[in-house]
Amino acid sequence: MRILTASLAILSAISVARQGVAAQSTNDYYPDHNACQGISPIAHKTYHPLKDARLQKVTIMMRHGDRVPSTMLQGDPTPYRLCNNPLETTSVSSPPDTHHGAPSYASPAMRNKIVASSKENMYAAAGAAYYWPNSNCEIGQLTDRGAAQTRAVGERLREIYVDLLQFLPRELPKNPDDVLYFRNTYIPRTKVSAANAFEGLYPERFRKGKQVVSLVTFPQTIETLIMNPQACPKLGAIYQGFVRSPVYAAHVKENAALMVKTNTVLGVASDPRYNTTLQGDQVLPRLCNKLSLCQVTNPKNCISPQEAQTLLEKSVFLYSGLFRNDASGVGSSEVAKRLAVGPFLKNVADSIRATLASNKKKGHHQVYRPFELYSAHDQSLDQLLSVVAEPNIPWPAYASTVIFELWQKKNGKSVIRMLHEGRVVPANKNLNCTLDACPVEVFLQFIESYVPKDITAECAL
């Protein structure tokens, strides 16, 4: 079973924004939420430093930018010509010059180009049976718009952490891995999103040497940035219990008519694989890129903006409901958070503690990993927010961010500030602090309470 089979592809939640109606959040705290475009904090406008405090560390989780569907519906004629300038290159490292003691450097040597020409590939002649006609995107690929979105995230981060706070150096350091930590999932669109965010943070004019920044990726089978039922079988069993629960059945019944219409418009109403889904994976890319949401065989039968809005509000349940509804009545949602989010929360907690420890060492001038950016998915941000935030946070938009800032106040006490969609995150009521300045030990003890003590035993069936 592929990790994403039960998560990104099937459970991909839908969000809407274009075609005349912006997707409004059900949470009044985020009234300007737009699922097609995350809101980054802006220096001097929506972002201001914590008063009488010094920044010690920044940890960011960013959703990738706009993309095409991660699955293809047979017969889908949508022309996804949205990937004209993908920042995807293959780099070749030259061997080190041992005579002169020079290290090897990787330089871009080849650039990816998606070609689906029937002149070169006989399968392409079959048209939409195998691939979207007149398209230049691979399935699930980051679009040009998505690349621009994530580069803009990097630019906003530079305005804050380089220009405003002077927390990061103006030019890329000689040893960038001492300052910057970038990580992505094994899915290519998160790699390209991370690369674009870096380009925004440190454009070429601020890179004076041949520095190479590491982009850390965990193997697919042990990925921790998304729900991983392959590594943790119990997590998969909990999700299957959620799908079989009365609360899930009630959700399907309540939205049956909308599911039928959506799948009819998309041409898969008779396919049992899709009968209980709202097709967010298919609808969102079309909405965000102003592509047709009308039935091919009946062009007058379309998904309206109002119906798309309802799809947004209802379909997030297919994934987020696992972490916010105790379908079993025995705390299954809390166990799911522990097994799905706990491994990443351990990374966050350990890194913050390492930074605090490095600050206390006399004569030690290098803070441990002061800047971290995790390029991930909507479900990555959502399951993280399900632990720390109040439950009505809207579904993470393309290129949205969750930002943890570690500040030290004048009295020597350290606090955590957490931002999402340009605002302080409303805290989970059990956190016992607000996230504009949560005492660091209160915050760390809370997230560490979700870290499994014995991951092998807790994940066993």
Side-chain angles (χ1 to χ4, degrees):
M1 171 183 175
R2 291 194 63 197
I3 295 174
L4 297 190
T5 299
S7 48
L8 294 180
I10 295 178
L11 308 178
S12 202
I14 143 180
S15 310
V16 285
R18 301 288 169 95
Q19 289 197 345
V21 175
Q24 296 298 315
S25 167
T26 56
N27 184 345
D28 292 339
Y29 191 71
Y30 295 101
D32 49 356
H33 174 259
N34 178 340
C36 292
Q37 176 63 67
I39 301 173
S40 295
I42 301 174
H44 302 293
K45 294 182 179 179
T46 59
Y47 180 94
H48 300 281
L50 198 63
K51 189 175 180 180
D52 297 327
R54 177 177 64 89
L55 187 62
Q56 297 176 291
K57 186 182 189 72
V58 180
T59 300
I60 301 160
M61 180 180 278
M62 176 187 71
R63 185 188 179 187
H64 59 74
D66 179 74
R67 63 162 174 82
V68 297
S70 59
T71 57
M72 182 187 169
L73 302 181
Q74 188 169 355
D76 180 6
T78 306
Y80 287 108
R81 295 198 63 79
L82 306 171
C83 305
N84 297 299
N85 190 34
L87 182 66
E88 294 183 64
T89 58
T90 298
S91 297
V92 178
S93 294
S94 58
D97 184 347
T98 55
H99 180 71
H100 296 95
S104 63
Y105 292 104
S107 58
M110 305 186 78
R111 187 176 192 137
N112 291 358
K113 182 179 180 180
I114 304 300
V115 176
S117 169
S118 59
K119 294 181 180 180
E120 301 179 52
N121 187 327
M122 65 174 60
Y123 289 125
Y130 296 102
Y131 182 75
W132 303 301
N134 302 313
S135 298
N136 62 354
C137 299
E138 178 56 279
I139 293 172
Q141 185 174 343
L142 194 78
T143 64
D144 297 340
R145 181 171 175 269
Q149 287 176 317
T150 47
R151 185 176 295 229
V153 170
E155 292 170 351
R156 298 292 83 75
L157 295 174
R158 181 175 180 85
E159 290 169 1
I160 292 172
Y161 298 112
V162 177
D163 300 336
L164 175 63
L165 299 180
Q166 299 181 5
F167 175 68
L168 294 176
R170 184 172 183 270
E171 296 184 354
L172 187 67
K174 181 179 180 181
N175 299 309
D177 286 355
D178 289 342
V179 177
L180 307 176
Y181 177 83
F182 280 78
R183 182 179 147 200
N184 68 301
T185 68
Y186 58 90
I187 304 298
R189 59 182 172 270
T190 66
K191 174 183 177 182
V192 184
S193 292
N196 276 282
F198 170 72
E199 287 290 329
L201 182 65
Y202 280 102
E204 188 174 0
R205 65 184 181 277
F206 296 110
R207 305 196 300 266
K208 300 303 183 183
K210 293 184 177 180
Q211 306 101 311
V212 175
V213 178
S214 297
L215 179 56
V216 177
T217 309
F218 286 5
Q220 172 180 346
T221 53
I222 55 172
E223 181 59 75
T224 63
L225 289 176
I226 56 173
M227 189 174 79
N228 189 342
Q230 182 173 350
C232 188
K234 187 172 182 179
L235 186 56
I238 292 173
Y239 180 74
Q240 290 304 317
F242 169 65
V243 171
R244 294 190 296 266
S245 70
V247 65
Y248 190 95
H251 169 81
V252 172
K253 182 178 180 180
E254 176 188 353
N255 297 288
L258 187 56
M259 289 178 180
V260 169
K261 177 169 183 179
T262 301
N263 287 298
T264 298
V265 168
L266 297 179
V268 292
S270 60
D271 191 329
R273 292 175 298 174
Y274 304 114
N275 289 346
T276 59
T277 70
L278 286 166
Q279 294 290 358
D281 181 66
Q282 303 292 325
V283 173
L284 178 57
R286 301 188 194 195
L287 284 167
C288 293
N289 292 285
K290 300 182 180 179
L291 298 173
S292 174
L293 271 172
C294 296
Q295 189 176 353
V296 175
T297 57
N298 181 10
K300 292 185 178 181
N301 185 24
C302 305
I303 298 173
S304 70
Q306 291 74 23
E307 288 171 326
Q309 173 66 40
T310 303
L311 283 171
L312 163 66
E313 296 173 352
K314 300 297 184 180
S315 64
V316 295
F317 176 85
L318 300 180
Y319 179 74
S320 66
L322 173 66
F323 301 107
R324 294 170 175 83
N325 293 271
D326 184 16
S328 69
V330 292
S332 60
S333 61
E334 289 297 297
V335 177
K337 293 178 191 177
R338 184 177 179 86
L339 299 181
V341 197
F344 175 69
L345 291 176
K346 185 178 189 303
N347 297 150
V348 173
D350 288 351
S351 185
I352 291 174
R353 290 197 182 280
T355 297
L356 291 170
S358 68
N359 280 336
K360 292 180 181 179
K361 292 181 179 179
K362 292 183 178 180
H364 186 81
H365 302 292
Q366 179 59 53
V367 174
Y368 177 79
R369 281 186 359 199
F371 182 92
E372 301 178 345
L373 189 144
Y374 297 84
S375 180
H377 305 269
D378 45 359
Q379 73 158 251
S380 310
L381 276 69
D382 180 73
Q383 63 189 29
L384 173 62
L385 290 165
S386 76
V387 172
V388 184
E390 68 97 19
N392 293 321
I393 297 292
W395 190 257
Y398 285 141
S400 62
T401 55
V402 172
I403 303 175
F404 299 97
E405 294 179 331
L406 174 66
W407 293 85
Q408 185 178 52
K409 305 184 81 172
K410 278 188 175 181
N411 61 7
K413 302 294 184 181
S414 292
V415 296
I416 294 288
R417 180 165 70 170
M418 184 175 172
L419 307 173
H420 176 56
E421 290 288 291
R423 293 178 172 87
V424 172
V425 173
N428 183 319
K429 64 180 181 181
N430 296 319
L431 184 51
N432 295 322
C433 70
T434 57
L435 287 168
D436 54 346
C438 182
V440 67
E441 276 302 322
V442 173
F443 179 80
L444 289 175
Q445 289 177 22
F446 179 78
I447 65 172
E448 286 172 337
S449 71
Y450 282 89
V451 176
K453 303 299 182 184
D454 184 340
I455 190 67
T456 302
E458 293 189 39
C459 281
L461 292 173

